[in-house]
Amino acid sequence: MRGITKSFAGNSVLAGVSLRAAAGEVHALVGENGAGKSTLMKVLAGVHRPEGGEILIEGRPVHFTSPADALAHGVAMIYQELSLAPHLTVAENIFLGREPLRFRPLGVVAKRELNERAGRLLEDYGFRIDPRAVVGRLSAAARQLVEIARATAEARRVVVMDEPTSSLTAHEAEDLFRLIRDLKGRGLAVVYISHRLEELGEVADRLTVLRDGREVYEGAWGELSQGEIIRHMAGRELKDIFPPRAAQRGAALLRVEGLTRKGKFEDVTFEARAGEVVGLAGLAGAGRTELVEAVFGAQPFDGGAVYLNGAKFNAPDPARAVGRGLGLLTEDRKRTGLCPDQTLARNLTLANVGALVKRWVLSRGREREAAREYVERLRVRPPDPERVAGRLSGGNQQKVLLGRWLFAGSRVFLLDEPTRGVDVAARAEIYRAVNRLAEGGVAVVMVSSDLPELLGMADRILVMRRGRLVAELDAKRTTQEEVLTYATLEEEFEIRNDE
Ligand SMILES: Nc1ncnc2c1ncn2[C@@H]1O[C@H](COP(=O)(O)OP(=O)(O)OP(=O)(O)O)[C@@H](O)[C@H]1O
Ligand SMILES: [Mg+2]
């Protein structure tokens, strides 16, 4: 790609970006949220038409008018926001538009052949997914694997992966890396977008850094240290990703006692004190999301109780949980958090509209004012409260959701994977915001699969395995290895030190 320019409604997003991906090479594309990574790749995949610049495939200029057109030239993309048809099966999604036909002229799809071929493909990739399953019923991780299988099955020259691991476990990510090495071996060019630099280190050969729609660095992977990459992305030095916190531990604001939901989590007991950040570690499927959603009243439970400030409060629904000072930042912002068609200001103030009412009327001025404050505090980009939330980049959407609970004045924050898909600089902002909350006497429970994040942010780390709490560790003294050991241990013995 040479000198690609692109703007949306007069706002320039790409200002002459070039990117070269060679056969048999993994090209890492990094940059802060909103830098233009997805947009650049959607230009390559035929989703967006560029205003200027050119795309060359094997030296020949091409003009893609649609994703199908790009695909015909061997270019496929795994989108950041998944793009599968929920009502179709896994096999149907993988071969959508390219179904094997039994009687070609009649256009009859050979179902059995379809399932067999999809099954073989998934098996080859090491993905344990039934080709006959309906996609809408799959977990986020399984859907992501199907998306990966679909795009890589189609790609002949270039495959773009836009944050392909955002809902995968470490184990599934390993399968993906193996697949990527295989694609490399077959001579494909892979463009890989991720905010996790450790992960890129596993696969990347070259690196391009984008900042504000410009390319600020291009070179071999490994030439720059992590700190230097971050400096190129953010345009400044970023010293304390995990800023120190000066919080005093106070009373137990949240106490969860013997909470049980059959098949999901069992007999979970813990507390979170004012000023404390409690980390919740575990593998995907360990029951962490179900647990925090149950505390928030968004999912049922069968036994046990929740206490807020010492008083029993089993939240009957999220609305009443919010009324009692609970806030939940969900892991799946598209499905359960963001209202994509509403403005950023509306999304920010949604959980506390009462604060905006003046003499029975919703004050738009107050809404804008409040939104501006949080946009500023969380560095939402672009800093425009009137922007439609669905049009923001992924990480900026996450910041808006966090801002919502800040504005709602929650006393107990349940954060489920709060920095997934968030760039390093913005992540540091979120950590700072969490620290300020703790310093202000809020109790924070943070579910995260990012172990450096848990070690850097939490006071105590609770480890869940198969629905049970199996360890409580002092974050200052434990290691990633220790946390992982408890999270993956197969033996059924319990280690809890309740102090
Ligand atoms: N369809 C669209 N309409 C209007 N603006 C858009 C659209 N798509 C993207 N933008 C804007 O273009 C800019 C770049 O967005 P893009 O999604 O390419 O960022 P990104 O680098 O992929 O970020 P992230 O790391 O958060 O995924 C952002 O300011 C975004 O708001
Ligand atoms: Mg993106």
PDB file of all heavy atoms in Angstrom, residues 259-285:
ATOM      1  N   LEU A 259     -21.392 -18.007  47.421  1.00  0.00           N
ATOM      2  CA  LEU A 259     -22.197 -17.829  46.214  1.00  0.00           C
ATOM      3  C   LEU A 259     -22.029 -19.036  45.288  1.00  0.00           C
ATOM      4  O   LEU A 259     -20.919 -19.474  45.004  1.00  0.00           O
ATOM      5  CB  LEU A 259     -21.795 -16.547  45.487  1.00  0.00           C
ATOM      6  CG  LEU A 259     -22.940 -15.811  44.789  1.00  0.00           C
ATOM      7  CD1 LEU A 259     -23.993 -15.371  45.794  1.00  0.00           C
ATOM      8  CD2 LEU A 259     -22.422 -14.636  44.002  1.00  0.00           C
ATOM      9  N   THR A 260     -23.154 -19.542  44.837  1.00  0.00           N
ATOM     10  CA  THR A 260     -23.148 -20.774  44.039  1.00  0.00           C
ATOM     11  C   THR A 260     -24.126 -20.666  42.886  1.00  0.00           C
ATOM     12  O   THR A 260     -25.250 -20.199  43.058  1.00  0.00           O
ATOM     13  CB  THR A 260     -23.578 -21.985  44.910  1.00  0.00           C
ATOM     14  OG1 THR A 260     -22.633 -22.138  45.974  1.00  0.00           O
ATOM     15  CG2 THR A 260     -23.627 -23.270  44.087  1.00  0.00           C
ATOM     16  N   ARG A 261     -23.684 -21.071  41.727  1.00  0.00           N
ATOM     17  CA  ARG A 261     -24.604 -21.295  40.624  1.00  0.00           C
ATOM     18  C   ARG A 261     -24.169 -22.593  39.977  1.00  0.00           C
ATOM     19  O   ARG A 261     -23.058 -22.690  39.449  1.00  0.00           O
ATOM     20  CB  ARG A 261     -24.541 -20.163  39.600  1.00  0.00           C
ATOM     21  CG  ARG A 261     -25.495 -20.413  38.451  1.00  0.00           C
ATOM     22  CD  ARG A 261     -25.461 -19.301  37.470  1.00  0.00           C
ATOM     23  NE  ARG A 261     -26.195 -19.670  36.274  1.00  0.00           N
ATOM     24  CZ  ARG A 261     -26.097 -19.029  35.138  1.00  0.00           C
ATOM     25  NH1 ARG A 261     -25.311 -17.975  35.041  1.00  0.00           N
ATOM     26  NH2 ARG A 261     -26.773 -19.419  34.085  1.00  0.00           N
ATOM     27  N   LYS A 262     -25.068 -23.567  40.038  1.00  0.00           N
ATOM     28  CA  LYS A 262     -24.691 -24.920  39.616  1.00  0.00           C
ATOM     29  C   LYS A 262     -24.098 -24.918  38.213  1.00  0.00           C
ATOM     30  O   LYS A 262     -24.630 -24.336  37.304  1.00  0.00           O
ATOM     31  CB  LYS A 262     -25.911 -25.838  39.663  1.00  0.00           C
ATOM     32  CG  LYS A 262     -26.433 -26.000  41.067  1.00  0.00           C
ATOM     33  CD  LYS A 262     -26.752 -27.427  41.439  1.00  0.00           C
ATOM     34  CE  LYS A 262     -26.923 -27.543  42.945  1.00  0.00           C
ATOM     35  NZ  LYS A 262     -27.910 -26.556  43.487  1.00  0.00           N
ATOM     36  N   GLY A 263     -22.957 -25.572  38.091  1.00  0.00           N
ATOM     37  CA  GLY A 263     -22.313 -25.703  36.792  1.00  0.00           C
ATOM     38  C   GLY A 263     -21.484 -24.499  36.393  1.00  0.00           C
ATOM     39  O   GLY A 263     -20.769 -24.536  35.398  1.00  0.00           O
ATOM     40  N   LYS A 264     -21.578 -23.401  37.170  1.00  0.00           N
ATOM     41  CA  LYS A 264     -20.831 -22.199  36.799  1.00  0.00           C
ATOM     42  C   LYS A 264     -19.790 -21.824  37.859  1.00  0.00           C
ATOM     43  O   LYS A 264     -18.625 -21.657  37.569  1.00  0.00           O
ATOM     44  CB  LYS A 264     -21.786 -21.013  36.599  1.00  0.00           C
ATOM     45  CG  LYS A 264     -22.782 -21.205  35.480  1.00  0.00           C
ATOM     46  CD  LYS A 264     -22.093 -21.192  34.124  1.00  0.00           C
ATOM     47  CE  LYS A 264     -23.132 -21.339  33.008  1.00  0.00           C
ATOM     48  NZ  LYS A 264     -22.501 -21.495  31.696  1.00  0.00           N
ATOM     49  N   PHE A 265     -20.277 -21.654  39.097  1.00  0.00           N
ATOM     50  CA  PHE A 265     -19.350 -21.368  40.185  1.00  0.00           C
ATOM     51  C   PHE A 265     -19.937 -21.938  41.473  1.00  0.00           C
ATOM     52  O   PHE A 265     -21.148 -22.144  41.567  1.00  0.00           O
ATOM     53  CB  PHE A 265     -19.052 -19.874  40.331  1.00  0.00           C
ATOM     54  CG  PHE A 265     -20.276 -19.007  40.357  1.00  0.00           C
ATOM     55  CD1 PHE A 265     -20.969 -18.795  41.539  1.00  0.00           C
ATOM     56  CD2 PHE A 265     -20.726 -18.399  39.198  1.00  0.00           C
ATOM     57  CE1 PHE A 265     -22.107 -17.999  41.564  1.00  0.00           C
ATOM     58  CE2 PHE A 265     -21.877 -17.598  39.222  1.00  0.00           C
ATOM     59  CZ  PHE A 265     -22.560 -17.400  40.399  1.00  0.00           C
ATOM     60  N   GLU A 266     -19.052 -22.204  42.426  1.00  0.00           N
ATOM     61  CA  GLU A 266     -19.516 -22.920  43.602  1.00  0.00           C
ATOM     62  C   GLU A 266     -18.874 -22.385  44.861  1.00  0.00           C
ATOM     63  O   GLU A 266     -17.649 -22.236  44.943  1.00  0.00           O
ATOM     64  CB  GLU A 266     -19.173 -24.404  43.429  1.00  0.00           C
ATOM     65  CG  GLU A 266     -20.152 -25.285  44.161  1.00  0.00           C
ATOM     66  CD  GLU A 266     -19.870 -26.746  43.871  1.00  0.00           C
ATOM     67  OE1 GLU A 266     -19.635 -27.073  42.695  1.00  0.00           O
ATOM     68  OE2 GLU A 266     -19.854 -27.523  44.830  1.00  0.00           O
ATOM     69  N   ASP A 267     -19.706 -22.066  45.821  1.00  0.00           N
ATOM     70  CA  ASP A 267     -19.262 -21.727  47.162  1.00  0.00           C
ATOM     71  C   ASP A 267     -18.147 -20.678  47.158  1.00  0.00           C
ATOM     72  O   ASP A 267     -17.106 -20.858  47.774  1.00  0.00           O
ATOM     73  CB  ASP A 267     -18.781 -23.012  47.857  1.00  0.00           C
ATOM     74  CG  ASP A 267     -18.681 -22.803  49.369  1.00  0.00           C
ATOM     75  OD1 ASP A 267     -19.316 -21.850  49.878  1.00  0.00           O
ATOM     76  OD2 ASP A 267     -17.964 -23.581  50.028  1.00  0.00           O
ATOM     77  N   VAL A 268     -18.404 -19.592  46.464  1.00  0.00           N
ATOM     78  CA  VAL A 268     -17.376 -18.557  46.350  1.00  0.00           C
ATOM     79  C   VAL A 268     -17.538 -17.535  47.476  1.00  0.00           C
ATOM     80  O   VAL A 268     -18.609 -16.947  47.642  1.00  0.00           O
ATOM     81  CB  VAL A 268     -17.458 -17.838  44.992  1.00  0.00           C
ATOM     82  CG1 VAL A 268     -16.477 -16.673  44.938  1.00  0.00           C
ATOM     83  CG2 VAL A 268     -17.181 -18.810  43.854  1.00  0.00           C
ATOM     84  N   THR A 269     -16.498 -17.354  48.235  1.00  0.00           N
ATOM     85  CA  THR A 269     -16.516 -16.405  49.337  1.00  0.00           C
ATOM     86  C   THR A 269     -15.314 -15.485  49.249  1.00  0.00           C
ATOM     87  O   THR A 269     -14.181 -15.948  49.113  1.00  0.00           O
ATOM     88  CB  THR A 269     -16.462 -17.151  50.691  1.00  0.00           C
ATOM     89  OG1 THR A 269     -17.637 -17.967  50.806  1.00  0.00           O
ATOM     90  CG2 THR A 269     -16.407 -16.169  51.859  1.00  0.00           C
ATOM     91  N   PHE A 270     -15.578 -14.190  49.259  1.00  0.00           N
ATOM     92  CA  PHE A 270     -14.468 -13.226  49.320  1.00  0.00           C
ATOM     93  C   PHE A 270     -15.032 -11.859  49.674  1.00  0.00           C
ATOM     94  O   PHE A 270     -16.243 -11.656  49.667  1.00  0.00           O
ATOM     95  CB  PHE A 270     -13.706 -13.167  47.995  1.00  0.00           C
ATOM     96  CG  PHE A 270     -14.457 -12.512  46.869  1.00  0.00           C
ATOM     97  CD1 PHE A 270     -14.327 -11.147  46.609  1.00  0.00           C
ATOM     98  CD2 PHE A 270     -15.306 -13.256  46.053  1.00  0.00           C
ATOM     99  CE1 PHE A 270     -15.024 -10.542  45.571  1.00  0.00           C
ATOM    100  CE2 PHE A 270     -16.007 -12.652  45.014  1.00  0.00           C
ATOM    101  CZ  PHE A 270     -15.863 -11.295  44.775  1.00  0.00           C
ATOM    102  N   GLU A 271     -14.139 -10.942  50.015  1.00  0.00           N
ATOM    103  CA  GLU A 271     -14.628  -9.584  50.236  1.00  0.00           C
ATOM    104  C   GLU A 271     -13.701  -8.579  49.551  1.00  0.00           C
ATOM    105  O   GLU A 271     -12.562  -8.888  49.219  1.00  0.00           O
ATOM    106  CB  GLU A 271     -14.753  -9.290  51.733  1.00  0.00           C
ATOM    107  CG  GLU A 271     -13.451  -9.406  52.485  1.00  0.00           C
ATOM    108  CD  GLU A 271     -13.647  -9.116  53.974  1.00  0.00           C
ATOM    109  OE1 GLU A 271     -14.722  -9.380  54.513  1.00  0.00           O
ATOM    110  OE2 GLU A 271     -12.695  -8.624  54.588  1.00  0.00           O
ATOM    111  N   ALA A 272     -14.246  -7.401  49.340  1.00  0.00           N
ATOM    112  CA  ALA A 272     -13.442  -6.326  48.762  1.00  0.00           C
ATOM    113  C   ALA A 272     -13.640  -5.111  49.645  1.00  0.00           C
ATOM    114  O   ALA A 272     -14.763  -4.694  49.922  1.00  0.00           O
ATOM    115  CB  ALA A 272     -13.889  -6.035  47.329  1.00  0.00           C
ATOM    116  N   ARG A 273     -12.511  -4.554  50.107  1.00  0.00           N
ATOM    117  CA  ARG A 273     -12.585  -3.434  51.037  1.00  0.00           C
ATOM    118  C   ARG A 273     -12.485  -2.103  50.314  1.00  0.00           C
ATOM    119  O   ARG A 273     -11.992  -2.030  49.194  1.00  0.00           O
ATOM    120  CB  ARG A 273     -11.440  -3.541  52.048  1.00  0.00           C
ATOM    121  CG  ARG A 273     -11.523  -4.799  52.854  1.00  0.00           C
ATOM    122  CD  ARG A 273     -10.386  -4.943  53.821  1.00  0.00           C
ATOM    123  NE  ARG A 273     -10.733  -5.946  54.807  1.00  0.00           N
ATOM    124  CZ  ARG A 273     -11.422  -5.686  55.909  1.00  0.00           C
ATOM    125  NH1 ARG A 273     -11.782  -4.453  56.210  1.00  0.00           N
ATOM    126  NH2 ARG A 273     -11.737  -6.642  56.742  1.00  0.00           N
ATOM    127  N   ALA A 274     -12.937  -1.080  50.981  1.00  0.00           N
ATOM    128  CA  ALA A 274     -12.782   0.274  50.437  1.00  0.00           C
ATOM    129  C   ALA A 274     -11.298   0.506  50.211  1.00  0.00           C
ATOM    130  O   ALA A 274     -10.470   0.152  51.048  1.00  0.00           O
ATOM    131  CB  ALA A 274     -13.334   1.292  51.424  1.00  0.00           C
ATOM    132  N   GLY A 275     -10.955   1.073  49.074  1.00  0.00           N
ATOM    133  CA  GLY A 275      -9.558   1.384  48.792  1.00  0.00           C
ATOM    134  C   GLY A 275      -8.749   0.224  48.252  1.00  0.00           C
ATOM    135  O   GLY A 275      -7.544   0.338  48.047  1.00  0.00           O
ATOM    136  N   GLU A 276      -9.427  -0.887  48.009  1.00  0.00           N
ATOM    137  CA  GLU A 276      -8.706  -2.083  47.603  1.00  0.00           C
ATOM    138  C   GLU A 276      -9.035  -2.483  46.166  1.00  0.00           C
ATOM    139  O   GLU A 276     -10.161  -2.322  45.704  1.00  0.00           O
ATOM    140  CB  GLU A 276      -9.122  -3.214  48.548  1.00  0.00           C
ATOM    141  CG  GLU A 276      -8.303  -4.460  48.403  1.00  0.00           C
ATOM    142  CD  GLU A 276      -8.769  -5.555  49.355  1.00  0.00           C
ATOM    143  OE1 GLU A 276      -9.983  -5.690  49.596  1.00  0.00           O
ATOM    144  OE2 GLU A 276      -7.909  -6.278  49.851  1.00  0.00           O
ATOM    145  N   VAL A 277      -8.031  -3.006  45.474  1.00  0.00           N
ATOM    146  CA  VAL A 277      -8.276  -3.608  44.165  1.00  0.00           C
ATOM    147  C   VAL A 277      -8.043  -5.106  44.299  1.00  0.00           C
ATOM    148  O   VAL A 277      -6.952  -5.549  44.622  1.00  0.00           O
ATOM    149  CB  VAL A 277      -7.345  -3.037  43.076  1.00  0.00           C
ATOM    150  CG1 VAL A 277      -7.590  -3.736  41.742  1.00  0.00           C
ATOM    151  CG2 VAL A 277      -7.526  -1.523  42.933  1.00  0.00           C
ATOM    152  N   VAL A 278      -9.115  -5.880  44.096  1.00  0.00           N
ATOM    153  CA  VAL A 278      -9.021  -7.327  44.189  1.00  0.00           C
ATOM    154  C   VAL A 278      -9.010  -7.891  42.777  1.00  0.00           C
ATOM    155  O   VAL A 278      -9.912  -7.630  41.993  1.00  0.00           O
ATOM    156  CB  VAL A 278     -10.232  -7.907  44.964  1.00  0.00           C
ATOM    157  CG1 VAL A 278     -10.165  -9.424  45.010  1.00  0.00           C
ATOM    158  CG2 VAL A 278     -10.277  -7.318  46.369  1.00  0.00           C
ATOM    159  N   GLY A 279      -7.974  -8.634  42.460  1.00  0.00           N
ATOM    160  CA  GLY A 279      -7.873  -9.229  41.125  1.00  0.00           C
ATOM    161  C   GLY A 279      -8.509 -10.604  41.110  1.00  0.00           C
ATOM    162  O   GLY A 279      -8.444 -11.337  42.095  1.00  0.00           O
ATOM    163  N   LEU A 280      -9.155 -10.920  39.998  1.00  0.00           N
ATOM    164  CA  LEU A 280      -9.768 -12.242  39.846  1.00  0.00           C
ATOM    165  C   LEU A 280      -9.138 -12.906  38.634  1.00  0.00           C
ATOM    166  O   LEU A 280      -9.399 -12.515  37.498  1.00  0.00           O
ATOM    167  CB  LEU A 280     -11.277 -12.065  39.666  1.00  0.00           C
ATOM    168  CG  LEU A 280     -12.224 -13.122  40.190  1.00  0.00           C
ATOM    169  CD1 LEU A 280     -11.909 -13.530  41.621  1.00  0.00           C
ATOM    170  CD2 LEU A 280     -13.651 -12.628  40.100  1.00  0.00           C
ATOM    171  N   ALA A 281      -8.271 -13.889  38.905  1.00  0.00           N
ATOM    172  CA  ALA A 281      -7.561 -14.558  37.815  1.00  0.00           C
ATOM    173  C   ALA A 281      -8.194 -15.903  37.528  1.00  0.00           C
ATOM    174  O   ALA A 281      -8.949 -16.440  38.340  1.00  0.00           O
ATOM    175  CB  ALA A 281      -6.092 -14.745  38.199  1.00  0.00           C
ATOM    176  N   GLY A 282      -7.892 -16.445  36.367  1.00  0.00           N
ATOM    177  CA  GLY A 282      -8.409 -17.758  36.005  1.00  0.00           C
ATOM    178  C   GLY A 282      -8.448 -17.904  34.506  1.00  0.00           C
ATOM    179  O   GLY A 282      -8.315 -16.916  33.786  1.00  0.00           O
ATOM    180  N   LEU A 283      -8.637 -19.126  34.039  1.00  0.00           N
ATOM    181  CA  LEU A 283      -8.740 -19.342  32.605  1.00  0.00           C
ATOM    182  C   LEU A 283     -10.138 -18.983  32.146  1.00  0.00           C
ATOM    183  O   LEU A 283     -11.057 -18.898  32.957  1.00  0.00           O
ATOM    184  CB  LEU A 283      -8.473 -20.812  32.276  1.00  0.00           C
ATOM    185  CG  LEU A 283      -7.125 -21.365  32.743  1.00  0.00           C
ATOM    186  CD1 LEU A 283      -7.016 -22.830  32.367  1.00  0.00           C
ATOM    187  CD2 LEU A 283      -5.985 -20.566  32.130  1.00  0.00           C
ATOM    188  N   ALA A 284     -10.305 -18.781  30.837  1.00  0.00           N
ATOM    189  CA  ALA A 284     -11.647 -18.566  30.304  1.00  0.00           C
ATOM    190  C   ALA A 284     -12.470 -19.788  30.669  1.00  0.00           C
ATOM    191  O   ALA A 284     -11.980 -20.908  30.615  1.00  0.00           O
ATOM    192  CB  ALA A 284     -11.587 -18.390  28.804  1.00  0.00           C
ATOM    193  N   GLY A 285     -13.716 -19.556  31.091  1.00  0.00           N
ATOM    194  CA  GLY A 285     -14.554 -20.685  31.473  1.00  0.00           C
ATOM    195  C   GLY A 285     -14.436 -21.053  32.944  1.00  0.00           C
ATOM    196  O   GLY A 285     -15.118 -21.961  33.415  1.00  0.00           O
TER     197      GLY A 285
END
